[in-house]
Amino acid sequence: MVSWPDSLAREIVKERCVLFLGAGVSSTATNDNGKRTPTWGEFLQRATELVGDTKTKKQILRLLKDGKMLVALQAIRDNCNATEYRTLLDSTFNDNSYKPSKVHKIIYDLDARIVITTNFDKIYERYCLAPAGGAAAYKVLNYNAQDFADELRSDTRLIIKAHGSIDQVSEMIFTRSQYHAAKRDHPHFYEVLRAVLLTNTVLFLGSGLEDPDMMLLLEDVRIAGRHEKPHYALTLKGTKNRFLIKDWKDTYNIDVLEYGPTYGNLEGELQTLLEKVSQLRVELNPGLRSAV
């Protein structure tokens, strides 16, 4: 069972915590048949099948086995039919039959003012923007939004799509070349995002911490000064090497909070955090009602 730090709950209540949602959050959504959204592994396998040349396909599979995801995705995109590739993206990330899960609702109820996600799908923002979500005002901003800094200074709750959205396939950051192009063409986004990470605690949910942009920014923030307050990453127990966990702490100031023994325990652990946050909100603001 996760021992949620009191300081993290306080950061959430005081709106000094940014939630970072990875693919693991989207994978909790199911359709009417009980089918879950495809994992990254499943998507990559399907994408590789679009490559017709057998030798090239074997080389891509080797890249995937070695963990070279960005290079593999670039190779897939360069060596498959563009129309088939776009169709796969749509079928994977633009399927409205997947319904938000209890995990999405809990994340909503945590009520962080800023949520950053590298997910291309729209499952979480659909929940936030629908009547089922609530009355709070939300805006969805892609990394290429021109008024990004101004929106951060507003009272609106923000969902920041750090890699873009399936709504704009041509602007999705998926491959190594797209990463480089985004950093070249939209430096203001990364400058402002760095400031957000410098002044807030980040809680990573459903993220493998493999996003190069985010990790470089966290490394810069770590170097910028000594920080007593860490960031946090919720991970499944036993899935992260202890040396990797130590590197995250030393390099990025990230404390790992392990849950388990299965992915099914994620909902219960987040519910415990929500109860802790809701209780603290009531203690600090007696006029408020608990969200749980």
Side-chain angles (χ1 to χ4, degrees):
M1 186 172 183
V2 175
S3 179
W4 293 104
D6 292 339
S7 58
L8 174 60
R10 182 172 290 273
E11 292 289 274
I12 294 173
V13 172
K14 293 295 186 179
E15 296 192 344
R16 294 193 298 261
C17 181
V18 172
L19 301 182
F20 187 100
L21 312 186
V25 171
S26 288
S27 68
T28 64
T30 56
N31 60 18
D32 291 336
N33 297 321
K35 181 181 177 182
R36 294 189 179 277
T37 59
T39 65
W40 265 110
E42 291 169 342
F43 170 77
L44 290 169
Q45 288 294 328
R46 294 177 188 176
T48 303
E49 290 303 314
L50 299 179
V51 178
D53 182 71
T54 302
K55 183 178 179 180
T56 301
K57 185 182 295 184
K58 287 182 178 179
Q59 292 173 331
I60 292 173
L61 289 172
R62 171 65 66 175
L63 289 171
L64 294 176
K65 184 178 180 180
D66 293 340
K68 307 294 185 182
M69 305 301 181
L70 294 181
V71 181
L73 281 167
Q74 186 70 58
I76 291 169
R77 189 181 182 212
D78 293 343
N79 290 278
C80 71
N81 180 275
T83 300
E84 292 180 353
Y85 180 70
R86 188 182 183 107
T87 299
L88 177 64
L89 292 178
D90 272 326
S91 64
T92 304
F93 301 111
N94 198 31
D95 188 343
N96 290 337
S97 68
Y98 290 103
K99 305 298 190 297
S101 68
K102 182 66 181 299
V103 168
H104 290 97
K105 182 181 185 303
I106 293 171
I107 291 170
Y108 174 90
D109 287 338
L110 285 172
D111 198 26
R113 198 179 86 76
I114 300 175
V115 173
I116 301 172
T117 179
T118 50
N119 297 333
F120 301 122
D121 63 69
K122 301 185 292 181
I123 298 171
Y124 180 65
E125 55 255 48
R126 282 208 314 270
Y127 181 83
C128 291
L129 298 173
Y138 278 84
K139 281 189 179 180
V140 181
L141 297 178
N142 282 348
Y143 68 92
N144 54 3
Q146 296 300 312
D147 54 353
F148 183 64
D150 289 337
E151 292 294 352
L152 282 176
R153 299 173 64 184
S154 72
D155 294 330
T156 305
R157 277 154 171 68
L158 302 177
I159 301 171
I160 299 169
K161 308 284 281 190
H163 287 177
S165 172
I166 190 62
D167 284 339
Q168 295 176 295
V169 173
S170 62
E171 300 295 327
M172 287 166 56
I173 302 176
F174 223 156
T175 65
R176 186 176 295 278
S177 65
Q178 289 168 332
Y179 273 98
H180 293 164
K183 295 187 77 170
R184 179 195 66 218
D185 298 337
H186 306 285
H188 66 284
F189 170 76
Y190 296 97
E191 291 170 5
V192 176
L193 189 57
R194 181 178 181 275
V196 170
L197 300 179
L198 186 64
T199 55
N200 292 271
T201 296
V202 182
L203 173 59
F204 293 89
L205 300 173
S207 172
L209 298 183
E210 293 151 349
D211 176 69
D213 285 341
M214 184 61 62
M215 304 316 285
L216 282 173
L217 285 170
L218 283 173
E219 186 174 350
D220 287 345
V221 169
R222 175 68 163 159
I223 294 171
R226 183 177 178 183
H227 301 280
E228 299 299 329
K229 293 182 178 180
H231 303 296
Y232 298 93
L234 187 64
T235 65
L236 182 64
K237 189 173 183 178
T239 59
K240 304 302 177 187
N241 184 288
R242 64 186 178 92
F243 297 111
L244 180 62
I245 291 175
K246 183 178 184 301
D247 180 66
W248 285 351
K249 179 60 177 177
D250 294 343
T251 307
Y252 309 112
N253 196 26
I254 294 175
D255 281 353
V256 169
L257 303 172
E258 293 186 305
Y259 73 96
T262 70
Y263 287 110
N265 296 101
L266 174 63
E267 179 184 316
E269 296 291 4
L270 288 177
Q271 181 65 34
T272 300
L273 174 61
L274 176 59
E275 291 169 1
K276 190 180 186 76
V277 168
S278 297
Q279 181 179 352
L280 183 59
R281 281 197 176 113
V282 172
E283 291 174 0
L284 296 178
N285 302 279
L288 291 179
R289 295 177 57 189
S290 174
V292 297

